[in-house]
Amino acid sequence: MAINDDATLVVGSGNYLTAPVGTAMPADLLTPTSPWQNVGHTSLEDIFGITSEGGEATTIGSLQNKSLRTKYSARTETMTFTLQQFDTAALKLYFGANAPILPDGSVGVPTDPEPTQAAFLAIFIDGDNHFAFYAPKAEIYRADDMAISDTESLAGLPLGVKPMAYGSNVWTYAITPLGGILTTGATAGSPGSFTPAGADAPANLAAMSSVIASPSTAWTTGQHVVLGDASKAYWNGTAWVAGQAA
């Protein structure tokens, strides 16, 4: 692995957003548009974390080799951050999506709470760099007990986000790497290639919106490029389309 100064990260600011389950990652992470919605103010100290359960290793052997293979159990991961707004939407994220709104406008705490299911996006900004975690489907619910410990800092609602497999995906969440080369063009082929040389494949079809196709006429049968999520896309003469040209 080569040393890459541009791949280091010091978080200067960030945002946490939700959208309906299955919503694609926005093409422009710095200006995500509807249906993505910001969850609100979050902690400056407890910015973000990932905890996990499972992943235990079991050594499998034979009579000839006692340590032939290692098998790992499934691992469940939870992203954590602290929300510092106490409006209705925030309280329902913490206490449960089924928390009822009572006649006086207060939020009732349900006896059998249900987590909120949504697509989730965490974006961190470091100068000209930006870095994101994206889950097309996740369950959001309280991660820890709430405590208001003093009168000098903002109170918070500790939230946990559990990414879940969506559809036929073999992954639960995606992370955008730092230090890569931005794709500006795509050349037809079977598969085609991205330009400039060494450019990272766009994350998904939505991320192809600013990529210039070569040729600019409709690509011919079988031509396509492979995107970062392993899906295919091709240019139909006017727009990027999922799949390969027929």
Side-chain angles (χ1 to χ4, degrees):
M1 182 184 299
I3 292 176
N4 186 345
D5 294 348
D6 294 330
T8 58
L9 176 69
V10 176
V11 174
S13 61
N15 285 294
Y16 305 88
L17 305 99
T18 59
V21 169
T23 301
M25 185 189 300
D28 185 352
L29 291 172
L30 297 181
T31 55
T33 57
S34 180
W36 287 103
Q37 296 291 328
N38 200 313
V39 301
H41 290 287
T42 59
S43 174
L44 189 61
E45 285 78 28
D46 301 321
I47 295 176
F48 188 79
I50 297 179
T51 60
S52 63
E53 296 178 355
E56 292 84 5
T58 302
T59 301
I60 303 173
S62 67
L63 184 61
Q64 290 72 34
N65 186 343
K66 301 299 189 296
S67 303
L68 181 62
R69 295 177 57 182
T70 302
K71 183 179 180 180
Y72 294 89
S73 64
R75 182 182 294 274
T76 301
E77 296 184 316
T78 303
M79 304 175 188
T80 58
F81 66 97
T82 301
L83 184 58
Q84 291 182 322
Q85 287 188 189
F86 283 72
D87 53 16
T88 299
L91 293 172
K92 287 173 75 71
L93 285 177
Y94 185 77
F95 289 107
N98 59 334
I101 307 302
L102 305 182
D104 63 358
S106 59
V107 177
V109 178
T111 56
D112 189 13
E114 298 175 0
T116 298
Q117 288 200 356
F120 176 76
L121 182 65
I123 304 169
F124 303 110
I125 301 169
D126 176 11
D128 292 332
N129 274 342
H130 52 276
F131 182 73
F133 292 85
Y134 161 71
K137 181 180 180 181
E139 289 189 345
I140 307 173
Y141 185 58
R142 63 194 296 171
D144 203 350
D145 295 337
M146 181 184 68
I148 301 176
S149 58
D150 60 65
T151 60
E152 298 178 351
S153 56
L154 293 171
L157 299 168
L159 291 179
V161 180
K162 292 183 181 295
M164 305 174 70
Y166 175 69
S168 60
N169 290 348
V170 295
W171 51 278
T172 55
Y173 65 97
I175 308 166
T176 60
L178 288 173
I181 301 173
L182 181 67
T183 295
T184 57
T187 304
S190 301
S193 59
F194 295 107
T195 55
D200 294 328
N204 50 39
L205 184 63
M208 291 288 287
S209 60
S210 61
V211 176
I212 299 172
S214 178
S216 58
T217 54
W219 289 7
T220 58
T221 302
Q223 292 184 327
H224 66 279
V225 287
V226 179
L227 306 181
D229 62 0
S231 65
K232 297 178 180 179
Y234 71 95
W235 182 253
N236 69 0
T238 56
W240 291 106
V241 182
Q244 62 184 37

